[in-house]
Structures are given as structure tokens and as C-alpha cells.
Amino acid sequence: MYHVGIDIGSTASKVAVLKNREVIETMLMNTGFSSIVTSEAILKDLNKSGINKENSRIIATGYGLDDCTGERTNEILVDENADDILRAISDRYLSINCSVMTPNGGGLENTKNMAEKYKVDGVIDMVLQACHTFNIESVNMGKMMDEIGVPFLKLETDYSTADSGQIETRIAAFIEML
């Protein structure tokens, strides 16, 4: 069984493949303009190495984040041909899946759609302590993932490394549970 960790960031994407707890392969590539194109390229490279969904557990993080930034937010473009360009700009910014824009059903629904589209094994909701509205919304996210049968882990943290050991332990336990 392979364990694959993927981080698709806004500028760079990283992959680590482990077998028997040993790193056997790593990849680093530019994310480019589309996280979807990048994720497809990563899966193609993994398949060339004989790594696929049947013989591995894959954990992905990074650009799939769907809060005030992320995949959906970057797909929402301003209608440059709108009669009222200021209205078009405001419509775009009011469409962002930010928990401050309550209720944020679009954010919950989009995460559900991404979980189904990418056939994820589990969802980790990373909540920064400074964003209380996402912390509250995480309860609904957990309920939604439970409804579709996707394991869910909520991680609350800040920008420090003080809780890195605890986070590592919780993620390891989550992976084992999958």
C-alpha cells in the first residue's frame, strides 16, 4: 500500500509517496493557471509509476481549500462585457464562499461537490483560530460530509508551530482510520 501526500498550492505543487513509511518518490511542479490541470498531471505521473487509487491512500491539501480563496473562487470571473462593470465586479466578490457571507450554503455545497468529483477518501477542514465564522461553519461541514459518507476531520490551528505535534498525531490517526 502506498501513501501519497499532495499539496496543490497557488504557485507550486508538491507530492510525496511513501511505502512502508519510507519516502520512495517526490515531485515538485508549478501549479500554473489551473489546479485541475495540475492535479490531472500529478495523477498521470503517479499512474506511470504504478500508483493508483486501488493500491494507495491519497491525502491532498492546499488549493482545494474552498473558503475566501481556492478553486471555486478562482473560477468566478468578472463579466468584462457587462453593461455595469462595477456591478459585475461587486457580484463577483459577493459570490465568494466566505463564511462571513452568511448563510454560506454555496461554500458547503461546493465542498460537497469537490468531495464527490474527486472521489476523496476524507476531508480535513483546516480552521484558523482567527476566523471564527469558519470555525462555526465547520460543524455544518462535518454534518454534510457525514451525510455523503465521507470521513471528516476538523483541525483548528494558528500560524505558529506550537501545535504541530498534535496536528501530526491527529492527521496520522485520521489516515489510519481511512
Side-chain angles (χ1 to χ4, degrees), residues 57-87:
R57 289 285 188 201
I58 300 174
I59 300 292
T61 185
Y63 207 59
L65 185 71
D66 191 37
D67 54 10
C68 302
T69 63
E71 180 179 300
R72 180 177 172 274
T73 302
N74 288 309
E75 289 178 354
I76 303 169
L77 302 176
V78 173
D79 180 3
E80 297 173 3
N81 300 315
D83 292 333
D84 183 350
I85 193 67
L86 292 178
R87 178 66 171 177

Side-chain angles (χ1 to χ4, degrees), residues 1-4 18-19 43 46-59 118-121 178:
M1 176 69 63
Y2 297 100
H3 291 90
V4 182
L18 288 80
K19 186 169 186 178
L43 290 176
L46 289 172
N47 287 332
K48 283 182 188 175
S49 298
I51 301 165
N52 55 52
K53 190 166 176 69
E54 287 74 40
N55 66 7
S56 64
R57 289 285 188 201
I58 300 174
I59 300 292
Y118 296 117
K119 298 175 180 60
V120 301
D121 292 320
L178 298 174

Side-chain angles (χ1 to χ4, degrees), residues 125-144:
D125 191 10
M126 179 70 81
V127 178
L128 294 172
Q129 289 175 344
C131 194
H132 300 295
T133 54
F134 269 110
N135 199 359
I136 292 166
E137 191 174 81
S138 187
V139 173
N140 292 331
M141 183 67 68
K143 288 177 185 176
M144 181 174 283

Side-chain angles (χ1 to χ4, degrees), residues 2-163:
Y2 297 100
H3 291 90
V4 182
I6 303 171
D7 176 31
I8 300 179
S10 60
T11 58
S13 296
K14 292 79 61 185
V15 179
V17 180
L18 288 80
K19 186 169 186 178
N20 301 324
R21 298 185 181 251
E22 297 289 325
V23 176
I24 62 167
E25 186 174 347
T26 60
M27 294 181 229
L28 176 65
M29 64 180 63
N30 290 327
T31 300
F33 68 93
S34 170
S35 60
I36 295 170
V37 171
T38 302
S39 63
E40 290 170 349
I42 289 170
L43 290 176
K44 185 177 177 183
D45 287 347
L46 289 172
N47 287 332
K48 283 182 188 175
S49 298
I51 301 165
N52 55 52
K53 190 166 176 69
E54 287 74 40
N55 66 7
S56 64
R57 289 285 188 201
I58 300 174
I59 300 292
T61 185
Y63 207 59
L65 185 71
D66 191 37
D67 54 10
C68 302
T69 63
E71 180 179 300
R72 180 177 172 274
T73 302
N74 288 309
E75 289 178 354
I76 303 169
L77 302 176
V78 173
D79 180 3
E80 297 173 3
N81 300 315
D83 292 333
D84 183 350
I85 193 67
L86 292 178
R87 178 66 171 177
I89 292 169
S90 66
D91 287 347
R92 186 262 187 232
Y93 283 101
L94 291 172
S95 299
I96 293 173
N97 289 338
C98 185
S99 61
V100 173
M101 307 295 200
T102 192
N104 185 24
L108 296 172
E109 191 64 30
N110 189 63
T111 301
K112 175 185 170 187
N113 292 341
M114 285 196 305
E116 292 170 340
K117 176 181 177 180
Y118 296 117
K119 298 175 180 60
V120 301
D121 292 320
V123 169
I124 298 175
D125 191 10
M126 179 70 81
V127 178
L128 294 172
Q129 289 175 344
C131 194
H132 300 295
T133 54
F134 269 110
N135 199 359
I136 292 166
E137 191 174 81
S138 187
V139 173
N140 292 331
M141 183 67 68
K143 288 177 185 176
M144 181 174 283
M145 291 301 113
D146 191 46
E147 288 173 11
I148 64 171
V150 174
F152 177 81
L153 172 65
K154 174 187 169 188
L155 288 178
E156 187 175 350
T157 186
D158 57 21
Y159 287 103
S160 75
T161 58
D163 58 356

